[in-house]
Amino acid sequence: MCHYRFFVLFTVLALKSVECMFVYYQNYEFFSTIKLNDYNGYYGNVKILKYSMPNDVLSAIWRLQLVSSESCPSTDVYFYLEHSAYPVISPHNRTFPYYFNQGRLTKTMVKKSLGGSNPNKQDVYLNISSPSAGNWFSAAFTDSQDRKIKPEILKSNCTYFLTSSLNIWQINDTVVLYPNTTTQSREHSDFKIYKFMSTTTGPYLSFNIKLKQSNSSVCTVKSLLKQSAFPDMKNFKNNDDHVICQSNSSKQCSLSTDYPLANSWYYLGITSECNYSVEVALSNNCVESPFFISNKTLSTIMESTFPGLLKQKKDEFCRKLFQPIETFRFIGPTYFSVKYYFNSNHNRSNALLIRNEKKPYFIEFLVDQANNGGTLNFYLVNNLINDPNLYESDFLVNKASLFPSEKNPKNSTHSSKSKTSNLAEIKVMLYACLLFNSMSKYKNCPDGFLLSTQSFTNIFSNFQLNVAYPFMGKWYLAVWKECFNINTNESVTCPTDFVPHALIQISSDQCANDYCGEYGTCYIINSQLNLVSACKCSGGYEGYGCTDGRNAIPARIYLASVLFLTTSNLVFLLPICLAIYRKWYIESLIYFYNMFFSTFYHACDQEFYSFCIFNYDGLQLADFISSYSSFIITVLAMSSFERQWKVFTFFVGLLACISIGLYDRFSYSTFVVFLCIAISFTIFTWIKICISKRKLYPERRQLIRYYLPGFILALTGLLIYSFLQTKSNYWILHSIWHMCMASSIVFFLPKEETQHFGTDLSGENLKGIFIIFLFLKSK
């Protein structure tokens, strides 16, 4: 707790310079303790938490309390953090499918080691400066390097827990700017923050700063602009949207952004050595269209009946200079299945003619909880067509200039260049930039995903892009064309009689485009009420789409593993034949039952080359019960009970094995208890005979020649099964386990039925046996 208070005190001192703003601290959100799972290459093992971030937050602090149980080996704990989307992780640097953009990988991450020589309790702090408002998602998990397969009884009971809380520093006196209004401010050495709510979408938004020099000295103003979050004045020069102005400069001091988004906050941070004023300039996105009635008589009647109505309507009807292409969604029947279509395109073809040169067509679509847990898919097919009069929708970008800086919007860009009529010498390039919550900086696409392809006549070219776990909010796809000379690669005017015809498909689906490849299966996971799809890979393949095969198991190894695990059970033919020869018919039936179901269970329990004669769970249950029964009946056959009592005790053990399998077939501790009871019965009969005959039983020759080799084989199999098996050598060592246990039965199985004990059992003796049985069971 003292470390936590010290961290808060340090943050307060760091924010002490912000004297002009009222900053207050609060514990905003707290999550109860959750248990972390081992990642093991599967996103379904990740615990996802969602945090809500308010507006006007200067700094956010995540406090993480990591705790492990005692005597645990060293394990790495990961905590990834992402705004508006589920984190895309790859802790082992696995590759993504070909069309996936790896720039989507989450970079904000904390890694700590617990257990071993490290403390088993640690407090970790993650500080995010100027966080964006909205939802934040974290992905937490452990990554253990221990890949051994151990029985439940030998596994260490190590658990790892995470308790997280979100604490924020918030400013509540941010100055709100209004359009066409000048806001005055005095000099201040520390930065001051202004914010402006953009209510409409237009070509540009500009903030003009006018300096008021009070003396002869030259003063400096630093300003920084950022959307949806406070600007980070500490990393001033690392931001593109910044400007430094001098009072003696004739250059206008302003910051602007192209294509501001509607209903979005824009924050302006300013540090000044003199008085200044701030003015917001929002471009006019409306060109009036005349509203008139051609019939003069009807026009006179309307004007006399409704005075001023025609003038009012004339002002309301206008043609927008800039308007993104809006889409509507078709939500499919499965999770995260969504298709997007242009609003006024009723035939759902999503076709677009790219007539404007170097001026983008923006396509707007929304991602929310309906598809944020899947994969966003983009597919664009285009070719050049020579019919410029094809239908183009009304909502496409107007042929007027999109930029107010262009003084003559009526003149096309073709006028500034020499027209090239020979299409064979022109390379027509089609570009697309995918942006989240922004339409500015589309040209080089520094904050998005850039795609490009060349357009040809009568040849369809295409490109594809997939984005894993897309951000929730408004997305924009900017599409534009540029033309170049094939020989010199210089920019030339695009031909007017040939235009790119683009067919754009935007959709989302589960996992990697509803496809996890040949080596994976797609699952829907509910992690802390957050739905997400993920591929569970097999065959050693890894990665988001199960395409990383660096640790893949070769097909020949997989085939060999299937053959080893199944054919190794044929060793049970030896005890089966021996039991029949020595007239142990019930035992031979149990061994055959064990061989049969173990063979077909392992044939079914394969990622490839699997063969299931019926339900997998039923095969598994039968294999476990038959294995337990083989142990029990072999131990009881070695006893000196009369046959009827052997059969009775065996069926008691068989019912116990069935009960164990139905309750928890992996509960090895319960099975060991029943096996010890059976061994105690056998040893009890041996001791009874030794006492009555006053000599060693079984005989020394039998102990050395038969029981000792059988014991060594059984012990070797148990040691291999318990301590040496890993995922990579499982198929070899488990096959050896089959052979060791089957071979040990050959040595353990008696040559003939011995009835030295139990032929003259009286009531007192029988009572004593069952008292011992109840006593051992209670233990």
Side-chain angles (χ1 to χ4, degrees):
M1 187 65 183
C2 61
H3 297 287
Y4 181 59
R5 290 176 178 173
F6 174 78
F7 183 81
V8 173
L9 179 61
F10 178 79
T11 308
V12 171
L13 294 176
L15 294 173
K16 186 178 179 182
S17 60
V18 191
E19 297 173 354
C20 56
M21 294 178 287
F22 179 68
V23 183
Y24 66 94
Y25 172 83
Q26 61 172 319
N27 297 316
Y28 195 71
E29 280 188 342
F30 179 85
F31 277 89
S32 59
T33 303
I34 59 172
K35 180 182 176 182
L36 300 180
N37 301 322
D38 189 59
Y39 177 59
N40 202 19
Y42 176 43
Y43 202 87
N45 295 327
V46 171
K47 289 295 179 71
I48 300 175
L49 298 175
K50 182 173 74 173
Y51 308 87
S52 298
M53 187 73 65
N55 289 313
D56 301 347
V57 175
L58 186 64
S59 178
I61 305 166
W62 275 265
R63 182 190 182 191
L64 312 176
Q65 295 176 288
L66 306 175
V67 179
S68 67
S69 53
E70 297 291 339
S71 303
C72 285
S74 179
T75 301
D76 294 330
V77 179
Y78 289 82
F79 183 87
Y80 287 84
L81 194 62
E82 188 72 82
H83 173 248
S84 294
Y86 296 133
V88 177
I89 62 176
S90 183
H92 303 148
N93 295 321
R94 299 302 181 242
T95 59
F96 281 71
Y98 181 72
Y99 291 109
F100 276 70
N101 191 287
Q102 297 194 35
R104 173 66 184 84
L105 280 172
T106 301
K107 299 176 179 61
T108 305
M109 182 265 288
V110 171
K111 177 183 176 182
K112 283 291 180 180
S113 296
L114 291 180
S117 59
N118 305 293
N120 62 347
K121 184 176 181 181
Q122 297 186 40
D123 283 0
V124 183
Y125 302 95
L126 178 60
N127 184 17
I128 304 294
S129 299
S130 305
S132 298
N135 293 324
W136 286 72
F137 295 91
S138 68
F141 57 91
T142 61
D143 187 26
S144 174
Q145 301 303 317
D146 185 9
R147 295 290 179 259
K148 288 187 177 181
I149 304 174
K150 298 179 181 179
E152 200 70 27
I153 191 173
L154 298 175
K155 287 183 179 179
S156 58
N157 189 22
C158 282
T159 52
Y160 301 87
F161 300 96
L162 167 67
T163 305
S164 62
S165 61
L166 171 61
N167 313 289
I168 61 173
W169 292 92
Q170 195 170 17
I171 300 175
N172 69 345
D173 66 342
T174 307
V175 180
V176 179
L177 300 176
Y178 298 95
N180 303 321
T181 302
T182 302
T183 303
Q184 305 291 338
S185 180
R186 294 187 176 183
E187 60 177 296
H188 48 83
S189 57
D190 302 297
F191 73 94
K192 190 175 184 63
I193 294 181
Y194 303 85
K195 63 180 180 179
F196 172 76
M197 170 61 76
S198 176
T199 56
T200 59
T201 301
Y204 78 97
L205 172 65
S206 178
F207 296 87
N208 300 319
I209 304 170
K210 297 181 180 180
L211 305 180
K212 297 180 180 180
Q213 189 172 357
S214 58
N215 49 44
S216 58
S217 61
V218 179
C219 66
T220 304
V221 171
K222 297 179 180 180
S223 58
L224 181 63
L225 181 63
K226 190 174 182 180
Q227 178 189 344
S228 303
F230 284 147
D232 189 1
M233 302 299 287
K234 295 180 181 178
N235 301 319
F236 181 81
K237 294 186 178 180
N238 295 330
N239 295 272
D240 294 332
D241 297 329
H242 75 276
V243 65
I244 300 177
C245 302
Q246 303 288 339
S247 60
N248 60 351
S249 175
S250 59
K251 185 179 178 180
Q252 184 180 10
C253 187
S254 65
L255 277 173
S256 63
T257 180
D258 298 329
Y259 309 116
L261 300 184
N263 302 318
S264 181
W265 284 106
Y266 287 84
Y267 292 88
L268 180 67
I270 297 178
T271 299
S272 175
E273 299 174 354
C274 58
N275 297 339
Y276 64 90
S277 63
V278 180
E279 184 180 14
V280 180
L282 187 63
S283 62
N284 185 15
N285 195 32
C286 185
V287 177
E288 293 184 0
S289 296
F291 182 88
F292 65 94
I293 300 177
S294 58
N295 190 301
K296 293 183 178 180
T297 305
L298 181 59
S299 177
T300 304
I301 295 174
M302 287 289 293
E303 184 64 31
S304 61
T305 307
F306 304 101
L309 177 64
L310 295 183
K311 185 178 183 304
Q312 178 184 354
K313 290 295 182 181
K314 181 179 179 180
D315 296 336
E316 289 180 2
F317 281 78
C318 69
R319 175 167 45 87
K320 291 186 176 181
L321 281 173
F322 171 75
Q323 177 65 35
I325 301 173
E326 296 180 347
T327 58
F328 72 92
R329 299 188 299 177
F330 175 78
I331 300 178
T334 58
Y335 285 106
F336 313 124
S337 176
V338 177
K339 296 184 183 298
Y340 296 88
Y341 300 98
F342 296 168
N343 255 344
S344 60
N345 196 350
H346 301 293
N347 60 4
R348 298 183 179 179
S349 64
N350 282 8
L352 190 64
L353 288 177
I354 313 299
R355 287 191 174 126
N356 292 337
E357 185 178 351
K358 291 189 176 181
K359 297 174 185 177
Y361 294 79
F362 284 102
I363 302 169
E364 178 186 274
F365 59 96
L366 176 68
V367 173
D368 57 12
Q369 292 182 351
N371 55 341
N372 69 320
T375 297
L376 204 56
N377 311 308
F378 297 89
Y379 191 72
L380 191 149
V381 180
N382 83 98
N383 70 319
L384 284 176
I385 61 174
N386 59 0
D387 187 359
N389 298 319
L390 286 180
Y391 170 76
E392 187 173 4
S393 302
D394 295 334
F395 52 71
L396 297 186
V397 180
N398 190 269
K399 293 181 181 179
S401 173
L402 297 181
F403 297 93
S405 59
E406 296 177 1
K407 303 299 182 182
N408 189 7
K410 293 182 181 180
N411 295 333
S412 172
T413 54
H414 305 295
S415 61
S416 61
K417 303 176 184 177
S418 59
K419 184 173 180 178
T420 306
S421 59
N422 189 2
L423 188 62
E425 298 178 359
I426 299 177
K427 178 172 62 175
V428 181
M429 295 297 298
L430 189 67
Y431 296 93
C433 176
L434 179 63
L435 295 164
F436 169 70
N437 201 31
S438 173
M439 287 187 290
S440 61
K441 302 179 184 177
Y442 70 90
K443 195 67 175 179
N444 297 320
C445 207
D447 301 325
F449 311 109
L450 181 64
L451 303 169
S452 63
T453 183
Q454 186 173 351
S455 298
F456 302 92
T457 56
N458 302 321
I459 299 177
F460 290 91
S461 58
N462 63 81
F463 53 72
Q464 180 180 346
L465 176 68
N466 303 99
V467 180
Y469 306 143
F471 297 100
M472 289 196 298
K474 289 289 185 68
W475 285 76
Y476 296 90
L477 182 65
V479 183
W480 73 97
K481 68 176 180 180
E482 294 184 25
C483 297
F484 304 90
N485 186 287
I486 292 179
N487 299 319
T488 63
N489 206 32
E490 295 179 353
S491 179
V492 297
T493 301
C494 292
T496 57
D497 52 344
F498 282 90
V499 293
H501 179 262
L503 180 64
I504 301 171
Q505 295 181 2
I506 306 175
S507 63
S508 66
D509 221 323
Q510 301 173 10
C511 296
N513 196 12
D514 197 20
Y515 178 71
C516 291
E518 185 181 353
Y519 308 102
T521 306
C522 185
Y523 290 94
I524 304 297
I525 302 107
N526 185 347
S527 177
Q528 310 299 117
L529 301 180
N530 298 291
L531 287 179
V532 63
S533 62
C535 291
K536 190 171 186 179
C537 306
S538 56
Y541 282 83
E542 299 172 288
Y544 182 81
C546 302
T547 54
D548 192 315
R550 70 185 72 181
N551 296 323
I553 302 174
R556 64 181 185 276
I557 300 297
Y558 241 105
L559 183 59
S561 68
V562 176
L563 294 176
F564 265 67
L565 289 170
T566 52
T567 57
S568 61
N569 287 284
L570 296 178
V571 181
F572 273 95
L573 290 174
L574 293 176
I576 291 172
C577 295
L578 184 63
I580 293 175
Y581 177 76
R582 294 179 178 176
K583 299 181 181 181
W584 297 95
Y585 300 117
I586 296 178
E587 285 76 1
S588 65
L589 178 62
I590 295 299
Y591 300 150
F592 175 80
Y593 182 85
N594 189 1
M595 180 189 71
F596 180 85
F597 281 104
S598 179
T599 300
F600 284 100
Y601 164 64
H602 285 291
C604 184
D605 185 31
Q606 299 296 327
E607 295 171 342
F608 311 106
Y609 308 109
S610 63
F611 175 75
C612 302
I613 57 175
F614 59 84
N615 181 270
Y616 171 82
D617 190 68
L619 284 172
Q620 187 185 66
L621 179 62
D623 175 60
F624 276 66
I625 291 176
S626 62
S627 300
Y628 294 161
S629 302
S630 296
F631 279 102
I632 298 295
I633 199 169
T634 302
V635 171
L636 292 176
M638 296 166 62
S639 67
S640 297
F641 276 119
E642 191 179 358
R643 185 61 177 171
Q644 59 181 350
W645 294 110
K646 287 183 180 180
V647 173
F648 172 76
T649 52
F650 164 68
F651 276 101
V652 171
L654 178 62
L655 293 175
C657 291
I658 295 174
S659 302
I660 295 171
L662 292 174
Y663 172 70
D664 182 7
R665 65 197 65 172
F666 299 101
S667 178
Y668 297 101
S669 57
T670 309
F671 166 69
V672 168
V673 171
F674 278 96
L675 181 61
C676 290
I677 292 174
I679 294 174
S680 300
F681 264 72
T682 301
I683 295 177
F684 172 77
T685 60
W686 290 355
I687 294 174
K688 185 70 174 177
I689 293 173
C690 288
I691 294 174
S692 62
K693 293 188 175 184
R694 297 183 181 276
K695 67 176 182 177
L696 181 64
Y697 185 85
E699 297 177 356
R700 183 175 181 178
R701 184 174 65 89
Q702 186 177 3
L703 288 173
I704 295 175
R705 295 183 61 181
Y706 296 103
Y707 288 171
L708 181 60
F711 176 77
I712 293 174
L713 284 171
L715 182 62
T716 302
L718 288 172
L719 291 175
I720 290 173
Y721 182 80
S722 302
F723 300 104
L724 301 181
Q725 286 186 159
T726 63
K727 289 187 176 181
S728 59
N729 65 19
Y730 170 79
W731 61 281
I732 297 177
L733 295 187
H734 198 78
S735 300
I736 296 175
W737 145 265
H738 286 166
M739 293 185 285
C740 286
M741 302 315 294
S743 301
S744 67
I745 295 175
V746 176
F747 292 94
F748 284 138
L749 199 65
K751 290 185 176 181
E752 57 184 6
E753 183 76 41
T754 55
Q755 299 183 7
H756 298 99
F757 185 81
T759 55
D760 57 345
L761 284 176
S762 62
E764 292 297 326
N765 288 333
L766 188 61
K767 181 178 178 181
I769 291 172
F770 279 98
I771 288 174
I772 294 173
F773 172 78
L774 294 175
F775 174 76
L776 291 173
K777 188 175 180 181
S778 64
K779 292 291 183 182

